[in-house]
Amino acid sequence: MNSSQLEQRIREGIPIAAEMAFRVSSLTDGGITVTGGGEQNHNVHGTAFAGSLYAIATLSAWGLVQSRLPEGAELVIARGEIEYRKPVIGDIVAHCNIERETFDSFLENLRLKGRARLKAVSVIESDGGVAAEFSGLLHARLREASGAVD
């Protein structure tokens, strides 16, 4: 799945993403950068709304993993938490990277067992430092696990 296909899938499947001016800026096999518009995601203080930071960070982690899943796989975030460190002014930019070996092991478990889980971390930077860090536990399963090897 390329960045345009992923962005379209997210915007269609999660309608609020379009309202947040969500965009996939870059996508590789091991990394993603996504943005949300500053104008659409601000709070009464003129900084990014905490819920928007959480949503954009979550979509970066989910999006990266979703982009690598085989046809017929479903993905959910089973647990997620975020640490807010400093305010974000303007656009929200989130990055998520997963090492190749970690991703390969995750995909192999999914192929063999019909299900797998993976921890992903997404970072939002602002003014030269980390503004927020999201950590999520993602669960994937094949819809038709009958093809999985026990």
Side-chain angles (χ1 to χ4, degrees):
M1 177 179 300
N2 67 34
S3 61
S4 296
Q5 292 167 324
L6 177 62
E7 183 177 311
Q8 181 178 351
R9 176 166 182 174
I10 289 172
R11 286 173 150 253
E12 289 174 358
I14 306 167
I16 195 169
E19 297 298 321
M20 297 173 74
F22 174 83
R23 296 273 183 240
V24 176
S25 303
S26 68
L27 176 65
T28 66
D29 282 349
I32 191 170
T33 300
V34 303
T35 62
E39 183 63 30
Q40 295 83 352
N41 295 291
H42 66 84
N43 60 24
V44 298
H45 308 290
T47 60
F49 175 62
S52 294
L53 292 170
Y54 188 92
I56 298 295
T58 299
L59 287 171
S60 71
W62 185 90
L64 175 58
V65 177
Q66 180 65 45
S67 74
R68 298 276 313 274
L69 289 181
E71 188 71 31
E74 297 176 333
L75 181 67
V76 297
I77 294 185
R79 183 175 46 238
E81 62 184 22
I82 194 166
E83 180 182 347
Y84 302 102
R85 297 184 184 165
K86 61 191 223 177
V88 174
I89 297 172
D91 289 349
I92 301 166
V93 180
H95 310 278
C96 182
N97 295 293
I98 299 173
E99 292 183 15
R100 181 184 183 107
E101 297 79 22
T102 302
F103 235 137
D104 289 347
S105 176
F106 166 77
L107 292 171
E108 183 67 6
N109 281 335
L110 181 61
R111 185 183 72 76
L112 293 173
K113 299 177 183 175
R115 64 189 184 296
R117 63 182 176 180
L118 174 71
K119 182 180 178 186
V121 175
S122 180
V123 174
I124 296 172
E125 295 183 357
S126 181
D127 202 22
V130 175
E133 184 174 286
F134 169 85
S135 177
L137 181 62
L138 292 88
H139 286 245
R141 74 176 179 97
L142 296 176
R143 281 187 217 121
E144 295 295 325
S146 61
V149 177
D150 287 310

